[in-house]
Amino acid sequence: MHTENKSHKIGPIELAPSIQPHHAWTFFYAAFFSIGMITFLSIGQTYILNVHLGIPEKEQGTISGNLVVWTELIALLLFIPAGIFMDRIGRRPMYVAGFLLIGLTYVLYPFAGSVTDLFLYRIIYAFGMVAVTGALSTVLVDYPAERSRGKMVALIGLLNGLGIVITNQFFGSLPAILVKQGLSDIEAGIATHAGVAIIATSAAIVCAGGLQKGVPFKEKKRPRLRELFTTGLTAARNPRILLSYSAAFIARGDQSINGTFISLWGMNAGIAMGMSYDDAFWKGTLIFIITQVAALIWAPLAGPFIDRINRVSALAVCMFLAMLGNLSVLLLETPFDSIGYAVFIFMGIGQISVFLGAQSLIGQEAPSGKRGSILGTFNISGAIGILIIAKAGGNLFDSMSPHAPFVIVGSINALLMLFSIYVRIKAPHKRETSPESA
């Protein structure tokens, strides 16, 4: 009994009593690749649309937005079942299956003969994305002790950002390198996507061997299926959980919009300036990487800040930073303007801040036996946010301005900053209170 209740530490981070250090190290490895594997599809898709399918530039924003919407429509149907599945059999099988499905998507994507094929492959990707993001969010709630939650969330945010930077920088530059070595543009695209598939499969193998088995609560405390189906919605009666769901609406939307439209804007601007497809693809990828470098540098600073103050107050500050970052895009005519780097740095800081603030708050509030279901609803809110923002942003990207998706996100950040202040005033909550008693 003493061994079961003993808490382990990794550096300054204290783990929950049932979590061993090797479970946490495996999770760190998985977190490094999770979001990078997901976001590169949008970046690689820009290459596929231009090089493999030859889609006119004026149609790419709408197509990209519609592909994201299609993915999120499928995800909406899957997040609750995935959360229930994780609460019944554990997080590890979901993580493994998710990485394998994402790897399969990358194998298929460069062989698409039409945009219709991309929509079909996005079905597989949606299953994989739901499994990986759902497992990531749920394990992130499971593994830290409450007093170290902000630090753990910041570390995972750092690893997410580092994984995005390294994988996207390497694979984003790979087509140009391969073309210079004698491969055709299409062969370079196939080889690049195959490399990502190999990484995803390797991550699945590591998760299968190292994550905690089963679920992090005793069998006798396992909720009934009917209860799990309704848990996510009834939990929203807690205003702090409702705020968390609202924050998820924009937190995942911000990540997806940045991954889809920053690189697309950069590549199209590069082509308009006379760059080759490969060089323009790299330039577009580079400005996206800048946002992620800023995010990973900021994450270790934000985590301890979140642990030191009320988490609703912290979320209000995070929304303010994201509002500034996204609306500052209005200062740019092209992504390569002289102040462009500063704008994308601010965008990265805002993006990671909202992710950290939302994840820390839901982690504090979600009771252990129902976390998968509550996190499923949390992720559904994120999927709805992506769906709405991607559809509206993609259409406006083509018809009005490439600034449009970011302005939409920044405006929502402003509204949720005000909602955070309202919840802080109307539903104060001491950090020390147990989530089960909230």
Side-chain angles (χ1 to χ4, degrees):
M1 182 69 69
H2 174 74
T3 302
E4 288 181 359
N5 293 330
K6 179 182 178 183
S7 294
H8 298 275
K9 295 186 72 174
I10 295 180
I13 297 174
E14 183 177 343
L15 304 177
S18 64
I19 306 303
Q20 300 296 316
H22 74 272
H23 296 144
W25 284 113
T26 303
F27 178 48
F28 296 161
Y29 179 93
F32 178 86
F33 288 109
S34 293
I35 307 302
M37 295 293 97
I38 290 169
T39 57
F40 185 77
L41 191 75
S42 293
I43 295 173
Q45 180 176 284
T46 302
Y47 191 88
I48 299 296
L49 291 175
N50 280 282
V51 176
H52 290 234
L53 298 179
I55 302 297
E57 179 182 323
K58 64 181 180 179
E59 300 176 15
Q60 290 182 20
T62 299
I63 291 171
S64 296
N66 287 342
L67 283 165
V68 173
V69 168
W70 174 240
T71 302
E72 297 306 321
L73 283 172
I74 298 169
L76 282 171
L77 301 176
L78 298 177
F79 273 123
I80 288 293
I84 293 170
F85 201 61
M86 280 188 285
D87 280 342
R88 300 299 289 183
I89 70 166
R91 289 50 159 147
R92 184 167 72 172
M94 294 296 290
Y95 230 145
V96 171
F99 274 126
L100 291 175
L101 289 170
I102 286 175
L104 178 59
T105 305
Y106 282 109
V107 171
L108 295 173
Y109 226 64
F111 294 101
S114 66
V115 173
T116 300
D117 289 343
L118 296 183
F119 278 93
L120 292 176
Y121 300 153
R122 279 272 183 163
I123 297 174
I124 300 171
Y125 171 76
F127 275 82
M129 182 197 70
V130 166
V132 168
T133 57
L136 173 70
S137 297
T138 308
V139 174
L140 181 52
V141 173
D142 291 340
Y143 278 23
E146 182 59 39
R147 66 177 59 88
S148 293
R149 190 169 302 282
K151 297 182 186 70
M152 174 75 92
V153 170
L155 176 59
I156 296 305
L158 176 66
L159 291 171
N160 287 165
L162 192 60
I164 291 171
V165 168
I166 293 176
T167 57
N168 286 285
Q169 181 178 23
F170 176 76
F171 288 109
S173 62
L174 190 57
I177 295 172
L178 295 176
V179 167
K180 290 177 182 177
Q181 292 182 346
L183 272 65
S184 69
D185 289 335
I186 290 179
E187 290 171 339
I190 293 172
T192 297
H193 284 74
V196 183
I198 291 171
I199 297 295
T201 303
S202 300
I205 294 170
V206 172
C207 287
L211 289 178
Q212 184 189 38
K213 295 180 182 179
V215 291
F217 48 89
K218 294 182 179 180
E219 190 78 17
K220 65 182 181 181
K221 300 169 75 172
R222 179 170 291 188
R224 294 175 297 176
L225 281 174
R226 179 182 294 182
E227 183 181 355
L228 290 173
F229 269 113
T230 60
T231 292
L233 294 178
T234 57
R237 288 180 294 190
N238 177 338
R240 294 175 298 279
I241 289 183
L242 179 61
L243 175 61
S244 299
Y245 290 167
S246 302
F249 179 92
I250 202 63
R252 283 193 61 229
D254 204 354
Q255 286 183 330
S256 178
I257 291 304
N258 285 353
T260 301
F261 293 108
I262 288 179
S263 57
L264 181 61
W265 186 19
M267 183 168 186
N268 288 344
I271 291 172
M273 294 168 63
M275 299 179 190
S276 67
Y277 282 130
D278 302 303
D279 288 340
F281 177 64
W282 167 236
K283 288 287 188 181
T285 303
L286 180 60
I287 57 176
F288 172 68
I289 287 172
I290 288 170
T291 67
Q292 302 310 310
V293 170
L296 69 89
I297 292 173
W298 183 254
L301 303 175
F305 166 76
I306 291 171
D307 270 346
R308 286 186 174 92
I309 70 171
N310 183 283
R311 286 182 178 141
V312 176
S313 300
L315 185 59
V317 175
C318 293
M319 287 295 173
F320 175 73
L321 293 173
M323 177 192 70
L324 291 181
N326 283 294
L327 294 182
S328 66
V329 76
L330 292 170
L331 300 173
L332 301 178
E333 287 194 27
T334 78
F336 307 122
D337 286 356
S338 57
I339 62 168
Y341 286 170
V343 169
F344 292 117
I345 287 170
F346 273 111
M347 289 178 69
I349 289 172
Q351 171 192 306
I352 196 65
S353 295
V354 171
F355 169 81
L356 297 177
Q359 193 72 48
S360 295
L361 183 57
I362 194 66
Q364 172 184 277
E365 298 297 328
S368 61
K370 304 172 184 178
R371 282 175 183 165
S373 301
I374 290 176
L375 267 295
T377 308
F378 180 82
N379 286 322
I380 280 180
S381 180
I384 293 172
I386 293 173
L387 190 156
I388 294 172
I389 297 166
K391 180 62 177 175
N395 291 340
L396 293 175
F397 184 98
D398 286 337
S399 63
M400 182 179 293
S401 166
H403 302 87
F406 312 106
V407 173
I408 292 172
V409 173
S411 300
I412 297 172
N413 289 141
L415 293 174
L416 289 181
M417 177 188 69
L418 297 176
F419 184 37
S420 299
I421 295 171
Y422 173 81
V423 172
R424 181 67 180 93
I425 294 170
K426 294 295 184 179
H429 175 61
K430 295 181 180 179
R431 285 180 58 256
E432 294 78 14
T433 300
S434 166
E436 274 77 357
S437 64

